[in-house]
Amino acid sequence: MSLASTASVKAPPSLLARLFARQELALLVCLILVIVFFSVTAENFFSMRNMTNVLGQASLALTAGIGCAIVFISGEVDISIGSLLATIALPLIIIMNDTNSLLLGVSGALLFGLIIGAVNGYLTAYAGINSLIVTLGTMFIMRGGVYLYTGQRAIPDDASLDSFIALSDGRLFNIIPYSAVIAIVLLAAFAYMMRHRPFGRQIYAVGGNPEVARLAGYDVRRVKFICFIISSLLATVAGIILAARVGSAQHTAGLNFEFQVVAATVLGGVSLAGGIGSLSGMALGVLILQFLSNGLRGLGLPTEWQLVITGMIIIAAVAFDEAKRRRAIGG
Amino acid sequence: MSVDFLHPGEGAAIDTNVPALELRGIDKRFPGVVALDNVDFTLEPGKIHALMGENGAGKSTLIKIMAGVYGKDAGTIRMCGREVDIKSPRDSLKEGIKVVFQEIALISEFTVAENIFLEGYPTGKGGSIDWKKIRADSAALFDRIGFNVDPAARTGSLPVSQQQMVEIARALAHEARVVVMDEPTSSLTPNEVSLLFTVIRRLAALGIAVVYVSHKLDEVFEIADMVTVLRDGRHISTKPIGEHTNDTLIHDMIGRRIDNLFPRKRGEPGSKVALFVEKLSTARKLNDVSFEARAGEVLGFFGLMGAGRTELAKAIVGYDPITSGMIVVDGSRLVPHDTRTGVKLGIGLLTEDRKSEGLMGELPVYQNASLASLGAFARMGFIDKAKEHRAVQDYVDRFRIKTPSLFQQVKNLSGGNQQKVLISRWLMRGLKVIVVDEPTRGIDVGAKSEIFALIDRLAGEGLAVVMMTSEMPELLGLSDRVAVMCEGRLTAIMSREEATQEKILNAAIG
Ligand SMILES: Nc1ncnc2c1ncn2[C@@H]1O[C@H](COP(=O)(O)OP(=O)(O)OP(=O)(O)O)[C@@H](O)[C@H]1O
Ligand SMILES: [Mg+2]
């Protein structure tokens, strides 16, 4: 036996290499770099006010991103969430205007979201239609429906309930926006589910290898169905916060929102192929993009450039990831 | 009424008078194939029952019906005398039927421990997963079996043999009444096989009925109490193993006799060196390996698990990078880590892992077979389909590949028949050197003898055959020279006359 040669070959990877092997750590380093960069270059970037503002802005994508990531992990996609944001604002605002009750309005919105999730889930999991097609379809149908119903005019929130308005500008301890608190609580709860509850692991298994999951006795279709419902419900929560922020039901609400969320989720290392990724990765992806766009705006760069830079970062991140994975398999 | 391997004695005792599982009149048809035709199969508790038959005989199909993977077209299933309706894997698992499938069925992103408890996670207070228990129990399980697998490893990063061990451990992690193993030893070493046999005997002693599928007759004679033989989807015989001899069993399986597994028709190898390897080392395993293979020669490589045979195979055909050394094929130097020049120079590899490295399940048989030799069928940039089909049909006939047509998707063929398709692919190419890694893994005796005859013929036609094998009879029966590896090094090369089982094993231990 030649111990010398095997020892030199199997030397443990360096600390840095090991850190970067954990996707989340690499993302965290990126996030810190982004924040440091703009703190140095952009005025008024590194202030408590701006930081918490960004957090508040990120809360919509964080909330909906949970659902987006869960559906990705189950091996499907859901791009109907942007239109859902606009759609559920209708029952929300209309019921609140009629009843003066936040509870009833929110219940109505959630029920609506549940139905949309069930439709997406049924058509994908049970009818076997490709989820990209299904949710592309429901995305158009909902957006069209909202345009038709509102006649392209906003429906204002006449009830002006304090509790509803607090969703948009209230802050916990006068520091953290309530919307961010909601996002963080949901994120923690679902991250726990994905890691420590049997159902969370079933989602990973179903996305990782549906045939193996079936052999292990899982009801693959049911798992996927529920993932779509989770996604729609979380998008509904995001939609409620958005409606509170704009104080009305807008037909253009959440336009292109699904792509922001998908971009952040992919950046966060959640694989479209299913079975790979984490909610913390997704959250870091959302924060990186949000701070980036905030910082670029601080530098006075026009929105057009933000789009270009975001696009390049996503491709670079996924390419980096892919290269790393290939090295892990091939080497 | 089921037993837990890890905590025996906790469940209720098993009634040994009623059959554990009774299948009656099972029919199963696939488009163009009658996979099972009125098959009866009865399992007694505490008995080890071997299920034998050629590739495509219907063994895996019968098992998949028990496992709820396929529905049956006709027939009844009884568990302990009670008729049951098994509609999905879930139903089957609930009845206590645990299956180790022929093809590895694990989630590659999960850890070994998590895969073992995939079927049902132990949960603690409030229904959250008890990861501590999962880790501890899987370590305890491996301990009890004697397998050496790291429960914390990412499953996909393990070699096939260890994944197979994980599969086996998984079948034992929950309470069971029937444990089914479909070719569980296809990539285990003799030592691991004997550990597995100890486990199987222990299961039987606990009153569990065990089904054991294998193409290795010696294994079956060693472990089985009963043998059931299927042929072409029909039940041929069920007997206690004591009533069988090697010959009667083979006869039942293939309906004819095989007189000589290793007929040698070729002459002595020539003197021309077809493959020359000097001081080859790789980052992970190989250390200073030098040898040559001559045209018309079968050079057999033997080694225990982890000796580096597969690594060597991959390096010399240009799949994997090397750190130093030289590979010369037919007088031209091969560029390491470049399969294209390898193919051009005329060296090809037949892999042991047909699923991930060879076959494309969704594509039909003929495309899988002709993939590496499309150039031969091209005419002005178009594929001459008729010619392609004729060539493939020729191989289908020669190897008796069991498929309803050339257009069947390869994933629907039985495991052994998939292997034959892969072999056809490389033979069709016209090579100077062929490297075969475990060529008969999962292949039935009938087809084995054909593959041996074929290897003999290839060498006779002037190819150099480099054969990696862990099957001693195959090694001794086919090789002109035997090379032995240990820990990435070459420890011995001997001629056919010098080679004895003892010398080889000694060299393999290092
Ligand atoms: N899903 C399927 N679709 C179509 N045909 C199938 C399918 N599964 C199996 N078959 C066919 O049924 C027959 C029996 O296959 P089976 O896998 O049961 O054989 P086996 O006895 O396990 O063989 P092996 O020893 O090669 O594993 C074969 O002819 C096979 O091609
Ligand atoms: Mg089989």
Side-chain angles (χ1 to χ4, degrees):
Chain A
M1 260 205 282
S2 62
L3 280 173
S5 71
T6 41
S8 69
V9 170
K10 286 190 178 154
S14 71
L15 182 70
L16 202 68
R18 260 183 299 160
L19 280 184
F20 269 84
R22 283 293 300 166
Q23 181 99 33
E24 289 81 0
L25 272 165
L27 287 165
L28 190 62
V29 171
C30 287
L31 177 61
I32 292 170
L33 286 179
V34 167
I35 292 178
V36 169
F37 175 77
F38 286 115
S39 302
V40 176
T41 54
E43 261 176 73
N44 301 330
F45 181 81
F46 196 71
S47 66
M48 194 58 153
R49 193 72 201 168
N50 190 46
M51 291 286 138
T52 53
N53 274 347
V54 174
L55 209 56
Q57 284 155 12
S59 58
L60 292 187
L62 279 177
T63 307
I66 300 169
C68 177
I70 288 177
V71 171
F72 273 24
I73 291 170
S74 82
E76 302 292 342
V77 288
D78 181 358
I79 55 167
S80 69
I81 53 179
S83 296
L84 190 68
L85 251 53
T87 314
I88 61 93
L90 294 177
L92 175 74
I93 298 291
I94 292 169
I95 294 176
M96 280 201 305
N97 285 350
D98 277 3
T99 63
N100 269 325
S101 159
L102 178 68
L103 188 69
L104 286 179
V106 167
S107 307
L110 286 172
L111 182 67
F112 205 95
L114 182 85
I115 292 169
I116 297 300
V119 169
N120 283 339
Y122 179 82
L123 291 175
T124 300
Y126 291 98
I129 309 172
N130 182 301
S131 59
L132 181 67
I133 308 297
V134 168
T135 56
L136 187 70
T138 49
M139 166 179 128
F140 281 128
I141 293 170
M142 284 192 287
R143 184 67 68 186
V146 174
Y147 274 54
L148 286 172
Y149 185 84
T150 62
Q152 305 199 29
R153 271 192 311 273
I155 302 177
D157 165 34
D158 295 330
S160 293
L161 301 167
D162 289 343
S163 49
F164 187 56
I165 292 167
L167 276 180
S168 85
D169 60 9
R171 286 178 181 242
L172 186 67
F173 309 129
N174 252 329
I175 302 174
I176 309 172
Y178 281 131
S179 59
V181 174
I182 292 173
I184 290 167
V185 168
L186 286 171
L187 197 59
F190 278 98
Y192 183 82
M193 175 189 92
M194 293 304 278
R195 184 84 200 97
H196 296 291
R197 303 294 295 190
F199 184 70
R201 303 316 293 169
Q202 288 192 10
I203 297 174
Y204 276 100
V206 161
N209 192 331
E211 191 49 35
V212 173
R214 195 172 91 88
L215 293 179
Y218 298 171
D219 188 338
V220 173
R221 291 186 289 192
R222 185 172 152 270
V223 170
K224 290 192 171 181
F225 179 75
I226 294 174
C227 287
F228 278 98
I229 289 185
I230 291 175
S231 171
S232 288
L233 287 179
L234 287 167
T236 302
V237 173
I240 293 169
I241 295 169
L242 180 65
R245 222 170 257 173
V246 294
S248 61
Q250 300 263 2
H251 56 279
T252 54
L255 215 54
N256 289 335
F257 177 71
E258 59 278 352
F259 293 115
Q260 273 174 27
V261 175
V262 167
T265 308
V266 171
L267 179 63
V270 182
S271 163
L272 272 161
I276 298 174
S278 69
L279 296 188
S280 47
M282 177 281 299
L284 287 164
V286 170
L287 291 177
I288 288 173
L289 289 185
Q290 197 74 50
F291 274 108
L292 196 74
S293 96
N294 178 275
L296 290 174
R297 211 175 314 129
L299 286 182
L301 225 61
T303 345
E304 292 81 349
W305 276 107
Q306 292 176 31
L307 292 178
V308 173
I309 291 174
T310 309
M312 293 195 300
I313 285 179
I314 288 163
I315 293 176
V318 174
F320 173 76
D321 217 40
E322 196 54 44
K324 205 176 65 188
R325 198 160 291 151
R326 218 169 287 154
R327 223 183 34 212
I329 294 167
Chain B
M1 284 252 306
S2 49
V3 173
D4 191 333
F5 178 73
L6 202 52
H7 314 282
E10 287 180 13
I14 283 179
D15 180 356
T16 48
N17 295 319
V18 190
L21 181 66
E22 209 179 350
L23 299 144
R24 286 257 161 276
I26 303 290
D27 283 351
K28 180 68 188 176
R29 246 165 284 271
F30 294 110
V33 189
V34 180
L36 294 173
D37 180 5
N38 195 20
V39 170
D40 294 345
F41 192 50
T42 304
L43 298 174
E44 305 294 338
K47 288 277 184 312
I48 301 164
H49 200 134
L51 184 59
M52 308 280 295
E54 285 185 285
N55 297 131
K59 305 179 295 292
S60 297
T61 305
L62 188 64
I63 287 168
K64 285 180 181 163
I65 285 175
M66 295 179 209
V69 178
Y70 297 148
K72 54 189 175 352
D73 295 339
T76 55
I77 303 179
R78 287 168 189 282
M79 287 292 308
C80 305
R82 174 177 47 91
E83 184 161 347
V84 291
D85 187 12
I86 294 178
K87 286 203 289 287
S88 69
R90 187 190 200 82
D91 297 338
S92 164
L93 290 167
K94 267 202 211 125
E95 294 292 341
I97 302 174
K98 311 291 157 167
V99 180
V100 178
F101 289 98
Q102 185 172 7
E103 307 294 342
I104 305 272
L106 300 167
I107 307 276
S108 42
E109 291 296 322
F110 281 7
T111 63
V112 166
E114 184 166 7
N115 264 306
I116 288 179
F117 288 94
L118 202 60
E119 178 198 327
Y121 295 97
T123 49
K125 41 190 177 332
S128 288
I129 299 172
D130 188 346
W131 290 110
K132 254 206 202 117
K133 186 169 159 57
I134 286 179
R135 278 191 293 269
D137 277 5
S138 30
L141 200 54
F142 283 126
D143 253 15
R144 254 188 93 91
I145 305 173
F147 285 161
N148 187 9
V149 183
D150 175 10
R154 198 182 68 90
T155 311
S157 69
L158 298 177
V160 187
S161 59
Q162 296 215 352
Q163 296 195 21
Q164 206 157 41
M165 295 180 208
V166 177
E167 287 262 7
I168 291 167
R170 180 165 75 167
L172 309 178
H174 296 273
E175 295 201 343
R177 218 176 295 175
V178 175
V179 170
V180 183
M181 302 198 173
D182 196 351
E183 302 195 34
T185 58
S186 55
S187 50
L188 300 188
T189 64
N191 187 28
E192 288 152 0
V193 172
S194 76
L195 289 172
L196 175 66
F197 282 3
T198 312
V199 169
I200 290 180
R201 292 201 183 95
R202 238 186 277 163
L203 289 175
L206 291 171
I208 293 172
V210 181
V211 179
Y212 191 82
V213 180
S214 176
H215 289 295
K216 298 176 184 166
L217 298 189
D218 48 340
E219 284 184 9
V220 169
F221 277 104
E222 186 184 338
I223 192 80
D225 300 312
M226 299 289 292
V227 187
T228 288
V229 177
L230 301 181
R231 194 198 308 152
D232 292 327
R234 278 190 303 273
H235 177 265
I236 300 296
S237 64
T238 297
K239 289 183 198 167
I241 189 76
E243 292 177 19
H244 267 302
T245 64
N246 236 335
D247 287 347
T248 60
L249 193 50
I250 291 177
H251 188 272
D252 278 359
M253 283 165 63
I254 63 180
R256 63 192 157 87
R257 290 168 47 100
I258 295 179
D259 295 320
N260 184 0
L261 253 182
F262 304 104
R264 191 184 166 99
K265 298 224 176 77
R266 66 180 189 270
E268 290 304 310
S271 56
K272 185 167 157 268
V273 174
L275 172 69
F276 177 75
V277 174
E278 193 179 52
K279 294 192 183 318
L280 184 70
S281 300
T282 62
R284 292 199 144 189
K285 193 101 214 184
L286 302 178
N287 187 359
D288 212 16
V289 176
S290 303
F291 67 91
E292 55 183 50
R294 282 169 291 159
E297 176 181 50
V298 178
L299 175 61
F301 274 84
F302 183 82
L304 302 178
M305 173 92 49
R309 280 169 301 151
T310 296
E311 287 79 0
L312 180 64
K314 286 188 179 167
I316 58 181
V317 298
Y319 262 42
D320 285 355
I322 65 175
T323 47
S324 65
M326 181 166 75
I327 303 159
V328 179
V329 179
D330 197 32
S332 315
R333 200 161 161 175
L334 178 118
V335 182
H337 202 24
D338 177 1
T339 8
R340 291 241 313 269
T341 61
V343 168
K344 249 190 236 147
L345 295 180
I347 186 167
L349 171 68
L350 191 65
T351 59
E352 61 170 349
D353 184 357
R354 57 181 170 254
K355 208 164 160 194
S356 71
E357 286 176 29
L359 288 176
M360 283 167 272
E362 308 291 327
L363 292 185
V365 169
Y366 80 89
Q367 281 186 10
N368 268 292
S370 66
L371 189 74
S373 37
L374 287 179
F377 308 118
R379 217 174 37 194
M380 299 190 312
F382 292 95
I383 308 280
D384 182 345
K385 284 272 172 198
K387 197 171 164 197
E388 181 187 9
H389 291 177
R390 266 200 311 281
V392 176
Q393 187 64 51
D394 181 41
Y395 279 91
V396 167
D397 296 341
R398 264 158 70 185
F399 289 156
R400 297 197 289 135
I401 298 177
K402 212 158 157 194
T403 172
S405 81
L406 296 182
F407 304 97
Q408 176 74 295
Q409 290 181 324
V410 154
K411 66 171 184 201
N412 290 337
L413 297 195
S414 77
N417 282 304
Q418 294 184 0
Q419 182 78 330
K420 295 184 196 172
V421 171
L422 204 50
I423 295 182
S424 310
R425 175 190 299 171
W426 286 117
L427 298 185
M428 205 174 275
R429 246 209 84 85
L431 294 170
K432 304 217 172 58
V433 182
I434 183 160
V435 182
V436 290
D437 196 1
E438 299 290 355
T440 59
R441 184 175 150 200
I443 284 194
D444 69 57
V445 264
K448 252 184 205 163
S449 74
E450 282 158 46
I451 284 172
F452 295 151
L454 195 98
I455 289 181
D456 182 62
R457 209 177 91 198
L458 290 171
E461 285 170 12
L463 261 84
V465 182
V466 177
M467 177 177 73
M468 315 294 177
T469 180
S470 52
E471 302 279 318
M472 194 60 85
E474 195 168 301
L475 181 80
L476 292 171
L478 270 175
S479 312
D480 291 300
R481 284 186 304 147
V482 172
V484 187
M485 296 185 70
C486 174
E487 309 258 350
R489 286 172 312 124
L490 202 62
T491 47
I493 291 197
M494 44 195 133
S495 69
R496 186 172 72 236
E497 293 76 25
E498 297 170 307
T500 63
Q501 189 149 341
E502 202 188 335
K503 272 194 205 165
I504 293 171
L505 281 175
N506 273 334
I509 296 162

